[in-house]
Amino acid sequence: MGAWVSERPVSYLVLARKYRPQSFEDLVGQSHVALTLANAIAVGRVAHAFLFTGVRGVGKTTSARLLAKCLNCVGKGGQPTATPCQECAPCKEIAAGADIDVQEIDGASYNGVDEVRRLQEGLNFRPARDRFKIYIVDEVHMLSNAAWNAFLKTLEEPPPHVKFIFATTEVHKVPVTILSRCQRFDFRLIATATIAGRLREVLAKEGIACDDLSVATLAREAAGSMRDAMSLLDQVIAFSGDRLTGEDVARVLGVPNRRVLHDLAGALVGGDATACLLRIDELANQGFDLAQVTREILRHLRNVVVSKVAGSTARPLLDLADEEVRDVEALAALADADDLVRIYQGFSRGYDDVVRSGQPRIALEMTLIRLARRPPLLPLDELLARLGELEKRLGGGPPSPPRGGARGGSTSTPPQAGSVTTASRGTSSRPVMTRGALALATSSDEPLSDRVPEVPQPKGTNLSPLAVAPLPASAVVPHRVEPAGEESFGTSSGEAGSRGILESLVVFRAILRRIAESHPAIASIFDHASVREITRERVVLGFGPQSFAGAQAKEPEVLDIVTRAVRAYFGAPTQVAIDLSAGGGSDETVAVAAAASRREASEKARAAVENHPLVVEALRLFGGELREVRFREEEE
Ligand SMILES: [Zn+2]
């Protein structure tokens, strides 16, 4: 028993335990916790239950033991102290985990009925020697309900001689009834610089030489956890002995060499795709995990951006050794801040692909190629000047603001023209980076078709070339319902040509859309119908002789719903008949005709966009080419 930590120097003790803080002054990175606890102890207002939360390795269990020492130390008089003496029996035994009144319980394995009963019984007894009986429960979120209940009873009426210190990485799993009875402390991730400082202290005490790069790499890899930092240090010392170099540390920890990362980032910024691929090949051959490499590249690019933006004031923000800072600054000097941000964003998107991909190497390579081949950025003022010129040429002053949804539902709206995608002329194989600029000029909120004066309007049909959406009934009626006596819409131009069929279908689709609002299943039956006749007096709908849809359509309740819709549409006592005989007029169904009319309208719209003066002018000014015309998804 006793302080065997210092009595057995020969046997190897892992650094995390050897340099475990013995007082709150030694506890690094959690000064807010240390200060609050010290104050509470000083003024004699110590809670009877504490909850320490935070990710692993940030000092929760260590702090629990420190607090236990503070509460039970007898070296500083008869009261708890914020600065335990480290000499008395409780101090020494708690440090060694051997104090009979300070019980350390692992929540994950403390769930049996017997254990809980023993705990409950034990709580009633006074401490054997110390001032308080202290229960330190680690991973407390793993406790069973029975164990919680045992604690809860005590927490509701705490005996003055019992203190609880709960520690957990997952505070959201702790019952609220417990939470509300604890004083809670949130442990933070420890800053990289703080970890680096502690590593230097430990290395100095151990008599091990090190360079900046080795410490910076270790601190970075510890990712905020002091315990991780210490175990990584153990690992590195086992490999390197009493002299640490950045290169060795990187090798042991599997971190890609900074030089390679720097070269890679340099090639990326300089647009050299081949060099990028060679570096990746090098790293892959050395057996590096490419997902980790990708993370490192991302971090490196972040540092370059930060350095570019903040200049020399960025140094504290970088977590890098001095020589690394020099590299980063040199790279930052080579490129424009906007370009660097663009590379970072592109790479960040690629990062997700790499991590998710079953083929991380290929995903990484493609990301690098795409970014290395990015087209140059045009300065913003130049773009603005070109835009201004574009507006002047169009002669209309500033563009009118988008009118948005106010026009929704009106057939005169041809809203389907979407964004126009272009790429720089002469570099057509390059990725599309100018899209944003042109999309600005031809924002899809401002349909191009508003300014298309010369779009050919097919006569006798209401289908404007851009109106690829089905036409609402309200818009069709005024055109279609001709003066009384008109025999048939389908033959209004005197011939039963394809246009007549199309018109009939347009009218019928308008009716179907009304039906679909209340009876979508019934409307879909009639997608398979052909319209054999459609007038105010009579509507004849055709189906194939063996058609299942036809049989459904003949059902009285179905026919009734359709009849009512047709009558409502025409405002007349129209008769509706279902014709199952073959060859009674056109067999073009609503669905087929609708697809054909959409296709036709889309082709016309594309031609209209291509020839639109605004688009022609924009392509000329920005040196682009028309890649693709996209239409908004049709709302059916
Ligand atoms: Zn003491």
Side-chain angles (χ1 to χ4, degrees):
M1 283 298 177
W4 57 274
V5 170
S6 50
E7 284 168 14
R8 289 169 40 185
V10 184
S11 84
Y12 177 69
L13 192 60
V14 295
L15 295 171
R17 288 183 61 186
K18 188 169 176 182
Y19 292 98
R20 171 172 278 162
Q22 296 302 326
S23 70
F24 279 120
E25 286 143 41
D26 296 344
L27 182 72
V28 294
Q30 310 296 354
S31 52
H32 61 296
V33 172
L35 208 64
T36 313
L37 286 174
N39 282 342
I41 292 166
V43 299
R45 297 179 65 87
V46 181
H48 57 269
F50 301 85
L51 181 70
F52 291 174
T53 80
V55 300
R56 60 192 202 85
V58 290
K60 297 186 299 296
T61 315
T62 300
S63 297
R65 288 191 192 145
L66 290 183
L67 179 57
K69 267 203 248 179
C70 292
L71 294 174
N72 278 348
C73 174
V74 292
K76 300 268 181 90
Q79 290 302 315
T81 168
T83 51
C85 70
Q86 314 288 0
E87 299 295 332
C88 67
C91 276
K92 285 186 172 176
E93 289 176 17
I94 291 169
D99 191 306
I100 193 165
D101 288 321
V102 178
Q103 282 202 36
E104 292 196 28
I105 293 168
D106 176 12
S109 56
Y110 203 82
N111 277 320
V113 178
D114 289 345
E115 284 151 335
V116 173
R117 199 176 50 226
R118 228 177 300 131
L119 171 77
Q120 255 169 328
E121 287 166 2
L123 285 167
N124 295 323
F125 295 110
R126 292 199 50 79
R129 175 196 65 195
D130 293 349
R131 195 174 293 125
F132 296 108
K133 198 163 196 163
I134 297 173
Y135 292 88
I136 298 174
V137 190
D138 220 347
E139 298 303 323
V140 74
H141 59 272
M142 306 281 280
L143 282 179
S144 66
N145 280 338
W148 277 129
N149 288 334
F151 282 122
L152 196 55
K153 267 184 203 142
T154 319
L155 283 172
E156 278 165 350
E157 287 173 57
H161 61 269
V162 174
K163 300 280 181 200
F164 292 106
I165 307 171
F166 300 124
T168 180
T169 48
E170 297 181 56
V171 71
H172 57 277
K173 290 187 183 166
V174 177
V176 185
T177 44
I178 300 283
L179 280 180
S180 65
R181 291 178 166 85
C182 294
Q183 192 172 9
R184 172 173 164 171
F185 291 88
D186 288 80
F187 284 62
R188 297 174 187 151
L189 282 175
I190 304 165
T192 310
T194 310
I195 292 181
R198 179 72 176 156
L199 285 170
R200 280 206 185 82
E201 271 174 42
V202 169
L203 284 164
K205 283 184 188 158
E206 291 285 308
I208 295 170
C210 62
D211 59 11
D212 278 356
L213 198 54
S214 58
V215 174
T217 308
L218 275 166
R220 227 169 16 226
E221 288 304 301
S225 160
M226 190 62 83
R227 187 166 66 217
D228 283 5
M230 291 299 158
S231 34
L232 292 176
L233 184 56
D234 272 324
Q235 202 179 330
V236 170
I237 291 173
F239 177 86
S240 309
D242 57 3
R243 180 157 202 90
L244 303 189
T245 66
E247 216 163 285
D248 285 349
V249 169
R251 194 176 313 151
V252 175
L253 303 186
V255 182
N257 188 306
R258 300 312 280 186
R259 174 53 46 193
V260 178
L261 283 184
H262 180 67
D263 290 350
L264 189 60
L268 196 54
V269 171
D272 186 347
T274 313
C276 290
L277 293 178
L278 289 172
R279 293 287 98 76
I280 292 302
D281 185 57
E282 204 177 301
L283 290 166
N285 289 337
Q286 287 166 7
F288 281 108
D289 169 13
L290 289 181
Q292 195 190 350
V293 168
T294 309
R295 196 159 46 239
E296 293 291 331
I297 299 172
L298 193 63
R299 192 144 68 176
H300 198 71
L301 290 174
R302 175 262 179 196
N303 285 337
V304 175
V305 174
V306 168
S307 166
K308 180 77 189 181
V309 172
S312 56
T313 53
R315 290 196 171 198
L317 304 174
L318 295 181
D319 293 341
L320 294 173
D322 284 350
E323 55 184 296
E324 294 174 309
V325 172
R326 275 194 297 280
D327 282 349
V328 162
E329 285 176 348
L331 190 55
L334 293 178
D336 177 77
D338 290 332
D339 197 30
L340 291 175
V341 169
R342 182 164 59 137
I343 295 173
Y344 177 84
Q345 284 175 331
F347 196 81
S348 169
R349 274 194 290 276
Y351 173 76
D352 296 337
D353 293 343
V354 174
V355 174
R356 275 198 297 265
S357 173
Q359 300 280 352
R361 175 169 178 170
I362 298 175
L364 176 56
E365 286 174 338
M366 291 309 129
T367 299
L368 290 170
I369 291 172
R370 185 165 53 80
L371 291 174
R373 291 166 61 87
R374 71 201 178 281
L377 276 180
L378 287 174
L380 189 60
D381 47 1
E382 191 182 325
L383 279 178
L384 287 175
R386 291 185 185 191
L387 268 176
E389 196 186 335
L390 185 59
E391 277 175 13
K392 241 184 298 169
R393 272 159 202 267
L394 289 167
S400 58
R403 276 170 286 161
R407 296 172 299 186
S410 151
T411 20
S412 63
T413 306
Q416 308 302 328
S419 58
V420 180
T421 308
T422 69
S424 296
R425 185 177 294 145
T427 56
S428 55
S429 59
R430 289 200 151 193
V432 180
M433 298 298 289
T434 46
R435 175 192 286 185
L438 199 55
L440 189 74
T442 61
S443 159
S444 55
D445 288 330
E446 179 86 20
L448 288 167
S449 48
D450 273 7
R451 304 197 191 137
V452 184
E454 288 131 345
V455 170
Q457 292 279 348
K459 289 202 173 60
T461 162
N462 196 45
L463 275 184
S464 113
L466 291 167
V468 292
L471 303 174
S474 57
V476 179
V477 177
H479 293 265
R480 292 295 137 231
V481 181
E482 307 272 334
E486 185 69 48
E487 275 302 292
S488 157
F489 294 115
T491 56
S492 62
S493 59
E495 52 186 344
S498 64
R499 179 164 298 158
I501 293 162
L502 184 63
E503 286 174 34
S504 304
L505 287 168
V506 166
V507 173
F508 186 59
R509 284 185 72 203
I511 297 170
L512 278 189
R513 280 162 68 81
R514 289 184 166 190
I515 297 174
E517 281 168 17
S518 50
H519 299 89
I522 290 177
S524 71
I525 294 173
F526 288 92
D527 274 348
H528 305 286
S530 58
V531 181
R532 296 190 177 161
E533 187 181 337
I534 188 160
T535 64
R536 284 166 69 93
E537 288 72 38
R538 217 165 106 84
V539 171
V540 180
L541 302 168
F543 289 89
Q546 304 299 324
S547 157
F548 177 64
Q552 286 177 302
K554 266 182 140 23
E555 296 281 335
E557 60 269 37
V558 174
L559 198 56
D560 181 51
I561 286 164
V562 175
T563 304
R564 272 191 277 137
V566 168
R567 288 178 178 174
Y569 180 84
F570 285 116
T574 315
Q575 294 299 314
V576 177
I578 304 295
D579 179 6
L580 298 189
S581 64
S586 163
D587 282 332
E588 197 167 16
T589 64
V590 173
V592 172
S597 70
R598 267 199 299 272
R599 211 162 36 241
E600 190 193 350
S602 152
E603 277 161 19
K604 283 184 180 158
R606 188 188 156 86
V609 168
E610 273 173 349
N611 296 322
H612 189 281
L614 178 67
V615 175
V616 172
E617 202 49 26
L619 293 180
R620 196 187 65 70
L621 279 172
F622 290 104
E625 67 185 49
L626 192 64
R627 271 276 180 92
E628 189 188 339
V629 178
R630 268 187 272 164
F631 299 94
R632 279 193 206 146
E633 285 301 313
E634 199 179 330
E635 297 142 19
E636 195 80 64

